[in-house]
Amino acid sequence: MSSRWPLVALAALWAASAKAQSPDGQLVSAFLDPSFSMEPGVRTLESLTPAIYAWDAPVSRALSFDESSPAPKVVAVAARALRLALLDVPIASFQGTLVHEVFGHGARAREFGQWPAYQFKVPVPWSFILGDGTPFSGRTEYVRSGFADRDDPVHAGGIESSELSIAWTWREGLTRGELSAFALVGLLRDEADYLPRFLFDGQRLGQGGVSADPDTWFDGLSGRFNQWRPEDLRGLDRRIRVGYATKLLDPAVWVALKGVLWDFLVHGRRTVEIPRLSRPGGWWLPGVRVVPSPFGLEHQLRLDLGDQGWLVETTVRFTSSGLAQAVGLGIHAYQLPVGPGVRLGLEADVWVQPELLFDLRNVQDAPLRFGAASAVLLDVQLLERLWLSGKLGAKLPGFLMGQPLHGGPYGYLGLRVSLR
């Protein structure tokens, strides 16, 4: 990326701020940067849900009927179950697969000069109905370099992008206090994507076939840290499974599950309130996120605070897989009102982790390095329902979820449209 491009983007944001009023309602975003990197792509695709479902409110009103008696209630629940199976889950699955492949594996591969090719199939259950027998929902075709610190992040990039999608969807829900039922379908899809492989499949990680992301990531991780004896592999497998299970402590998992199966399926609610804990002058909520990193599973313990549409997220990060020491701290603030309609975001992260060695092979004990990153985000209004939005940041080399692995400036620019 040109070092001047983010500066131009930030200048454009400030120039437009004179007209601004604060963004609200359901926002559809289109973000872009020269590298087609992970975060702008994830934010763009995960924001499309309200546009995809713009037809839902008028159609639902036209077809609504009294569900207070048992027979109509059974009919309504059955109809919503059929809709989930044939429409909502396939849409969320295809949306999530695009994120996973194009802005997960693809974004990490693009960082190292590749432009991968993709294959997609019709999502379940339509793949069975239409007779599509391909054994995958999506595939990214890229070249393995043989350098662990290049290949391992690409292998894990799909899962990483799903976690980033969860993070941004959850932040939007927390700042508004609610999420649509269909956003929760996508959130639940991302949360549950690899749970069966990590938690319920008795076959050791690394033995599930080269097309399974957890297995290719596990193989790269065990090779990078010289874990080759059977007892080493079994121990690493056990630690990763136990570590991944802590994902179930995150409130987002249970809010999504309840929102889809109880609020929407049983009661037909199309908007679900996000439960938050009260504090003087606002609310707070803890959370957990689990991300595959080049050093093992990274746990992110969060404390979210907010009020009046703004959010402050404090995160402690550490790896749990017994392979390397890696710790970090992040403080992120979003949608802070700083002027007539101008909303500001700030991100600051620091960490200590093994150095990423992109051009060396067979290094099992890389030296620890300090790293840091910071960024500014702005939303400013151009028209009544149109906002200019962007991000400008810089970082030292190192792993930070969703951000470039190399050091230097990064950022993106885009438009956000309110559908209210």
Side-chain angles (χ1 to χ4, degrees):
M1 178 190 302
S2 167
S3 61
R4 289 179 292 184
W5 183 88
L7 299 176
V8 174
L10 187 60
L13 286 173
W14 279 113
S17 64
K19 302 181 182 179
Q21 297 179 6
S22 26
D24 59 6
Q26 302 238 34
L27 295 173
V28 175
S29 308
F31 293 111
L32 188 65
D33 76 328
S35 302
F36 295 95
S37 58
M38 187 179 295
E39 186 176 298
V42 166
R43 292 192 66 187
T44 297
L45 289 179
E46 62 88 14
S47 80
L48 294 179
T49 299
I52 293 171
Y53 284 96
W55 55 270
D56 173 73
V59 170
S60 296
R61 284 194 298 268
L63 298 178
S64 64
F65 56 88
D66 185 5
E67 299 182 24
S68 59
S69 55
K73 185 68 172 180
V74 170
V75 171
V77 171
R80 286 193 287 270
L82 189 64
R83 171 185 167 156
L84 277 171
L86 296 182
L87 185 64
D88 301 325
V89 171
I91 288 174
S93 178
F94 188 71
Q95 198 175 0
T97 300
L98 283 175
V99 166
H100 183 103
E101 304 297 341
V102 179
F103 293 106
H105 300 303
R108 286 301 186 201
R110 285 190 290 273
E111 289 185 41
F112 298 103
Q114 297 190 49
W115 286 85
Y118 305 97
Q119 297 181 41
F120 298 99
K121 79 165 186 177
V122 176
V124 174
W126 291 102
S127 57
F128 297 110
I129 296 171
L130 300 176
D132 181 357
T134 52
F136 55 87
S137 58
R139 175 180 293 169
T140 304
E141 297 179 352
Y142 56 90
V143 178
R144 301 187 185 194
S145 68
F147 297 97
D149 286 348
R150 292 173 179 246
D151 292 341
D152 292 352
V154 180
H155 300 333
I159 308 175
E160 180 189 356
S161 67
S162 296
E163 292 296 329
L164 186 66
S165 183
I166 292 168
W168 277 105
T169 300
W170 191 241
R171 287 166 186 157
E172 292 281 346
L174 285 176
T175 55
R176 293 201 308 270
E178 63 183 24
L179 278 172
S180 72
F182 315 114
L184 289 175
V185 172
L187 187 66
L188 188 60
R189 183 265 181 201
D190 288 333
E191 292 280 17
D193 196 13
Y194 284 105
L195 277 176
R197 181 67 185 102
F198 276 109
L199 301 187
F200 308 120
D201 190 334
Q203 190 175 37
R204 178 178 61 74
L205 292 171
Q207 296 179 334
V210 294
S211 63
D213 289 349
D215 294 281
T216 52
W217 170 70
F218 180 91
D219 285 340
L221 197 65
S222 58
R224 185 188 193 277
F225 290 96
N226 200 29
Q227 303 283 298
W228 56 271
R229 295 179 301 178
E231 58 269 29
D232 294 335
L233 296 173
R234 286 193 298 269
L236 180 59
D237 173 86
R238 183 173 56 255
R239 293 193 298 273
I240 287 177
R241 290 176 186 272
V242 172
Y244 201 78
T246 61
K247 167 191 275 287
L248 299 177
L249 298 175
D250 189 45
V253 176
W254 304 105
V255 170
L257 190 64
K258 173 185 175 291
V260 173
L261 298 183
W262 179 254
D263 294 290
F264 176 68
L265 180 61
V266 176
H267 294 289
R269 298 173 188 140
R270 283 158 172 78
T271 301
V272 177
E273 184 177 350
I274 305 298
R276 300 173 296 188
L277 302 173
S278 297
R279 64 173 179 84
W283 56 264
W284 67 282
L285 192 68
V288 178
R289 193 164 291 122
V290 182
V291 185
S293 84
F295 321 114
L297 280 183
E298 178 180 276
H299 296 265
Q300 301 178 1
L301 306 182
R302 305 188 324 274
L303 179 63
D304 297 322
L305 305 169
D307 185 34
Q308 301 294 326
W310 56 263
L311 166 69
V312 175
E313 178 184 272
T314 303
T315 305
V316 176
R317 306 160 45 204
F318 60 91
T319 54
S320 67
S321 305
L323 300 175
Q325 297 178 349
V327 296
L329 176 67
I331 300 177
H332 301 170
Y334 300 104
Q335 296 296 307
L336 301 173
V338 294
V342 183
R343 291 272 171 157
L344 175 70
L346 298 169
E347 296 180 344
D349 291 271
V350 295
W351 62 83
V352 175
Q353 60 186 223
E355 183 179 6
L356 292 174
L357 302 170
F358 300 121
D359 300 308
L360 293 177
R361 303 177 193 265
N362 303 320
V363 179
Q364 280 92 39
D365 191 18
L368 293 178
R369 292 287 184 262
F370 171 82
S374 62
V376 177
L377 301 90
L378 280 175
D379 285 291
V380 294
Q381 187 179 24
L382 300 178
L383 300 171
E384 181 182 359
R385 296 187 180 182
L386 180 67
W387 285 266
L388 187 65
S389 180
K391 178 175 182 175
L392 171 64
K395 69 182 290 289
L396 294 173
F399 176 78
L400 181 64
M401 183 179 72
Q403 305 306 338
L405 297 168
H406 296 84
Y410 62 95
Y412 50 85
L413 189 64
L415 297 173
R416 311 192 77 191
V417 179
S418 173
L419 299 183
R420 59 181 170 82

